[in-house]
Each structure stands twice: as structure tokens, then as C-alpha cells.
Amino acid sequence: MNKSVVIAGSTGLVGKALLRKVTADSFFNKINTLVRYQSITTMPEVKEIVSDFNTIHHLPKADILVICLGTTRKKAGSKEAFRKVDYGYVTRLARLAESENYEKIIVISSYGANAASGNFYLKVKGQMEDVVQTVNIPARVIIRPSLLLGKRDEFRFGESMAAFVMKVIMPVLKGRMLKYKPVKDTQVADAIIKLAKEPLNGIKIIEPQWIHKNT
């Protein structure tokens, strides 16, 4: 059975990779994207909806919501601005999907997310996950990738240095260490599509090991 999908964050690293793959997959018969600003798209099969995530009150009718929203504290400008995006926007969309009777929600989080963490980034991600897990949607999927590799629009020095170091040691990251191995944006996109197609129910947490073994 074909499914309709809404993608929030389709202009980001994972979102872009996902959109390319979704448009080429006949499983998805209707594709909507939620963006804050009009983008230049050459994909006639995609309906782009410009929305202010601060005030959005409803989502288009669909089966699946995929949330790829995310920023960094540096890019956001402050802890409050970061939390507004990674917690506020994500949980708002999750609750709207609940009210629109979506059957599945897939959210990109982070490896190590924990609401009790002493790390601000991981704490916010964990708090977001706690809310997503409580919404009344039949299937709630949370993907926790490790360091993401891919071509970003902006340069992130810290991530670039970490990616360089990880590439050097990647050959030894096996078994229990596999969870620390970086994942490509295309791998996460493949994981999302695979999980979108599976008949799931309840909460499913996807760790980096699963991504490496299934994409």
C-alpha cells in the first residue's frame, strides 16, 4: 500500500538526502515538505509548504511525518534558540501529527540523547524524545545517529575535525564500538525509508549499530 509523507527539515543535511530518495520511490504517492522559507525545487511531485514553526496550527493530511529538524547552539545563537528548534519545533509538530491522526512519526535525534544528561545538547534531545514517545500515534520511531557525515551548506569546524579523526579510526570500530562509527546522511535517509515501509507499532529506538547493519 502506498503512503503519503510530510517531511519537516527537507533543506537540511539528512532532509535533502531523504527527499531525493523519497521522490524516486513509488511507495510514496504524495510528498509534502514543510519549510520556513521558499526554496528552489525542481521536483514537480513535491508540494512545498512554507510554514512558521512558531505558529503552525495544522499539518496536511498524510500517513507519515518525518522530522529532520535540528540546529547547533552556535548556529542558533543561544541555548534558548537551540532549544526552540530542537525541542520546541519538533514536539509541536509531533503533537500536531497526533491531532491529525497520523499513523507513524519518524524523528531524527542523536546518539546519547538523555533527558538526565549533563550535556545540554543531549539533554534537550532526550527531553524531546520523552515527549515524542508520549504522543498518541500508533508508531513512534526515534533515530539516534552518531556523527553525521555529508556535504553541509555551512562549515562546522568541530564536526569537520571530529569527522577527520573518526575516518582514521573507523576501520577498528566494530562490534561494541560500532555505535561510535559515523553515519552518512544517505544511510540515515535509507533507514528512514526502510522504517517508513515496515509495519510498526509502539515505540522503536534506532541506534547507530542498527543503521550500519541495515543500510
Side-chain angles (χ1 to χ4, degrees), residues 2 8 25 39 63 66 72 77 82 91-92 103 135 139 155-156 169 175 194 199 206:
N2 299 112
D25 195 316
S39 66
D63 301 307
V66 181
T72 63
F82 167 78
T91 56
R92 185 182 184 90
E103 63 183 45
V135 296
F155 177 73
R156 297 182 180 180
I169 65 174
K194 183 178 179 67
I206 302 299

Side-chain angles (χ1 to χ4, degrees), residues 64-117:
I64 303 168
L65 172 64
V66 181
I67 305 178
C68 303
L69 294 175
T71 185
T72 63
R73 179 176 162 185
K74 181 179 180 180
K75 185 177 180 179
S78 67
K79 285 185 175 182
E80 293 73 20
F82 167 78
R83 181 180 172 79
K84 184 178 183 180
V85 175
D86 285 58
Y87 175 85
Y89 290 173
V90 175
T91 56
R92 185 182 184 90
L93 292 174
R95 291 187 175 111
L96 287 174
E98 175 185 27
S99 67
E100 297 286 354
N101 298 313
Y102 277 54
E103 63 183 45
K104 184 181 292 185
I105 181 172
I106 302 174
V107 179
I108 304 299
S109 182
S110 172
Y111 176 69
N114 188 328
S117 175

Side-chain angles (χ1 to χ4, degrees), residues 2 7 9 23 34 40 48 52 76 81 85 102 127 154 161 165 177 190 203:
N2 299 112
I7 302 172
T23 55
L34 297 178
I40 300 174
E48 190 174 78
D52 180 354
V85 175
Y102 277 54
Q127 292 172 337
E154 80 278 2
M161 287 299 296
V165 172
M177 298 298 289
D190 285 336
I203 300 167

